[in-house]
Amino acid sequence: MDIRSASADGRVAAGISHGVALLNSNGMDIVYGGDRLTYKIIGDVIDLYIFGGPLPHYVIEQYAKLIGRPATMPYWSFGFYQCQYGYKNVSGVEGVVAGYAKARIPLEGMWTDIDYMDVCKDFTLDSINFPKDWMKKFVDKLSSE
């Protein structure tokens, strides 16, 4: 987006804006030359869109109409999450969660990388260090809080 300063002759008001979007999957260089842009594209189809504005929020509206609006982030994703490789057992993970609670740091999610797995196999639990009954009790406790 380009936002202009007022021209000396008064023909262009301050804040007049326009935007340009170039969609191309090949390599390109965009060179700013002070008063112009040069697009250097090595091939493919050129989809060039020019958004006339004339004000910044109109340029953004026009661009959003082309590409679509972003998805709203789920509320839970704004929380704090803890993950680390190297937890030795369930009590170590419980200790970390308790440490966050003691420090009064909100914790939305906790996961343990591959530590809980039986020999790094998906959908398994290490029966010695992360026994199923202890893990279920711990997860149920976390879910209830």
Side-chain angles (χ1 to χ4, degrees), residues 43-87:
D44 203 14
V45 175
I46 297 173
D47 289 325
L48 181 66
Y49 298 89
I50 299 172
F51 308 105
L55 298 173
H57 67 277
Y58 291 132
V59 173
I60 293 168
E61 282 179 15
Q62 293 159 4
Y63 180 68
K65 193 178 224 179
L66 173 69
I67 65 164
R69 297 217 174 264
T72 303
M73 297 296 295
Y75 182 72
W76 59 264
S77 70
F78 294 114
F80 190 80
Y81 295 82
Q82 171 63 35
C83 179
Q84 174 182 314
Y85 173 77
Y87 291 115

Side-chain angles (χ1 to χ4, degrees), residues 14-134:
I16 296 297
S17 305
H18 71 275
V20 177
L22 174 61
L23 306 179
N24 187 286
S25 61
N26 287 312
M28 70 175 89
D29 288 328
I30 301 172
V31 181
Y32 176 65
D35 62 345
R36 68 185 160 276
L37 288 176
T38 303
Y39 293 87
K40 297 178 181 180
I41 304 164
I42 62 173
D44 203 14
V45 175
I46 297 173
D47 289 325
L48 181 66
Y49 298 89
I50 299 172
F51 308 105
L55 298 173
H57 67 277
Y58 291 132
V59 173
I60 293 168
E61 282 179 15
Q62 293 159 4
Y63 180 68
K65 193 178 224 179
L66 173 69
I67 65 164
R69 297 217 174 264
T72 303
M73 297 296 295
Y75 182 72
W76 59 264
S77 70
F78 294 114
F80 190 80
Y81 295 82
Q82 171 63 35
C83 179
Q84 174 182 314
Y85 173 77
Y87 291 115
K88 302 296 182 208
N89 52 39
V90 181
S91 64
V93 178
E94 288 175 325
V96 170
V97 172
Y100 275 89
K102 184 178 179 185
R104 302 178 74 179
I105 299 171
L107 185 61
E108 290 294 322
M110 177 75 190
W111 60 93
T112 61
D113 198 40
I114 61 172
D115 304 318
Y116 67 91
M117 294 180 183
D118 179 29
V119 196
C120 298
K121 292 183 287 188
D122 289 335
F123 311 112
T124 63
L125 288 173
D126 175 344
S127 60
I128 306 293
N129 297 312
F130 294 89
K132 184 178 179 180
D133 57 336
W134 195 355

